[in-house]
Amino acid sequence: MKKLSIITLVILSFSCSIADDTNQIQENPQIEDVLTSNNPNASEPSNPPSSNEPAPNEGEAWRIHLVVEDGFDVTKNFKNVRLFFDESGSLEARLGDESISGRWRIESDSPRDELYLDFPNGTILKELDDDWYIIDLGETEIVLEYKDDEYESELVLIKGNQESSIVSPFSGQEETSVALFSKVSDNSFGINSYMDDDDNKTQLFDGGRLVFDDWGQVTFERDGQDPIKGIWLVGFNDQNVLLDLDFPSQGLGDYLDEEWLLQSKSETLLQLIEKDEDDRDRMELILR
């Protein structure tokens, strides 16, 4: 009899847990409706995908209006990305006629509900993965925020061809940041020099090149060796312009895997210095 009571109690507790989870999901229908709703006033996409699958209507898309991360505005890296939220929890990101699939979900939390974004590794979209608190929710604009011990990150999504009054907290280096982004995009650079503190490591990179592609993908290539793949992004605040290279921390990737601040830029050269002031490496890239 005792055993039966225990089993009954476990079943009842499990049932309550399922009910609680269901209630949490049902608490957020407005958020889900806003994310997955259509905007009939938006225009059709000008570059439909080349696949046989029908393209999502551009009116369903959310645009990334602002991304502030770790004290830098990195919005430029996401400006042409369109996000499509499906009721099933699937998430599609489109850049031109290419697409990448991810997942999304809403969870109730205190003091605010959270939007979770999850993209696969290997592209700039991974930077959006986080548990974003929903600060403001409208039919055509969603303001999200994430705080850690040092920085406050912000993500603003707007619907279709709508506009937003929210502006970047920084402005001092925006023009230089845009110029650096344009210089790096779809180009390749040789590593003209590399100083590891006071130790010259340039020879390690002889014959190699950094190739910068769409979706924030960067590859170190050299004949006769396997390519090393990483992620790149450009950002700015009022003091500095950032070129962040994220490589696997092994071999040559370990040297390249730094947050680099732009020191100077010419038609063919980029001079960079490591953001970390305790051990500042220096690197010079030459346009190929």
Side-chain angles (χ1 to χ4, degrees):
M1 194 69 180
K2 239 175 177 178
K3 290 183 180 177
L4 181 58
S5 298
I6 292 172
I7 293 171
T8 303
L9 181 59
V10 169
I11 292 173
L12 287 173
S13 299
F14 182 67
S15 300
C16 290
S17 174
I18 293 175
D20 289 343
D21 289 343
T22 304
N23 288 336
Q24 280 195 345
I25 294 172
Q26 292 176 345
E27 283 174 9
N28 301 294
Q30 180 190 6
I31 301 171
E32 295 180 357
D33 289 347
V34 168
L35 283 170
T36 59
S37 65
N38 296 344
N39 179 358
N41 296 320
S43 59
E44 294 289 330
S46 57
N47 296 310
S50 57
S51 67
N52 294 325
E53 294 296 323
N57 190 305
E58 190 76 1
E60 302 170 1
W62 288 89
R63 291 190 290 124
I64 299 172
H65 173 71
L66 179 68
V67 189
V68 177
E69 182 181 67
D70 296 338
F72 286 87
D73 183 328
V74 296
T75 309
K76 181 65 177 175
N77 305 273
F78 303 94
K79 269 298 185 183
N80 295 319
V81 174
R82 299 293 182 264
L83 300 176
F84 299 87
F85 294 83
D86 188 82
E87 293 176 356
S88 67
S90 64
L91 174 59
E92 182 181 5
R94 282 196 172 271
L95 182 62
D97 59 0
E98 297 182 6
S99 66
I100 292 176
S101 297
R103 302 289 299 175
W104 71 277
R105 72 180 189 274
I106 300 292
E107 288 198 5
S108 293
D109 199 356
S110 179
R112 298 179 183 275
D113 292 332
E114 291 178 311
L115 171 62
Y116 283 80
L117 302 179
D118 183 21
F119 284 101
N121 293 325
T123 75
I124 193 68
L125 296 173
K126 200 64 182 174
E127 296 292 321
L128 300 180
D129 282 17
D130 228 323
D131 48 342
W132 295 96
Y133 281 105
I134 301 172
I135 303 302
D136 190 26
L137 176 70
E139 291 296 326
T140 60
E141 181 177 83
I142 300 174
V143 181
L144 306 161
E145 185 181 89
Y146 173 79
K147 293 182 179 179
D148 58 23
D149 294 336
E150 188 175 0
Y151 295 107
E152 179 179 298
S153 298
E154 185 175 10
L155 173 62
V156 179
L157 305 178
I158 56 176
K159 193 68 173 287
N161 57 3
Q162 302 298 309
E163 300 296 332
S164 174
S165 61
I166 297 176
V167 298
S168 173
F170 312 115
S171 61
Q173 298 291 331
E174 181 175 10
E175 185 176 341
T176 304
S177 174
V178 171
L180 177 62
F181 184 90
S182 299
K183 174 72 69 178
V184 169
S185 298
D186 297 323
N187 276 319
S188 64
F189 291 81
I191 299 177
N192 203 44
S193 68
Y194 191 107
M195 296 296 298
D196 182 7
D197 200 6
D198 292 325
D199 191 4
N200 191 335
K201 299 289 187 180
T202 306
Q203 189 174 359
L204 294 175
F205 303 95
D206 282 352
R209 59 194 174 275
L210 285 170
V211 181
F212 294 83
D213 290 322
D214 290 337
W215 295 107
Q217 296 172 319
V218 60
T219 307
F220 179 76
E221 299 178 350
R222 184 160 55 189
D223 293 342
Q225 77 174 55
D226 292 336
I228 305 171
K229 296 183 179 297
I231 302 298
W232 70 275
L233 65 78
V234 168
F236 71 95
N237 56 27
D238 286 331
Q239 290 78 41
N240 294 297
V241 173
L242 173 77
L243 176 61
D244 187 2
L245 300 180
D246 184 6
F247 279 93
S249 294
Q250 55 185 3
L252 292 180
D254 192 30
Y255 288 102
L256 299 171
D257 183 35
E258 301 286 359
E259 292 182 314
W260 299 96
L261 300 180
L262 180 67
Q263 294 293 285
S264 67
K265 177 178 68 68
S266 70
E267 285 298 315
T268 58
L269 288 177
L270 300 177
Q271 292 183 326
L272 307 160
I273 188 168
E274 185 184 353
K275 181 185 173 188
D276 185 2
E277 295 183 2
D278 294 332
D279 181 21
R280 284 199 150 179
D281 299 340
R282 298 181 301 284
M283 180 167 64
E284 185 177 82
L285 302 181
I286 184 167
L287 186 64
R288 286 286 181 87

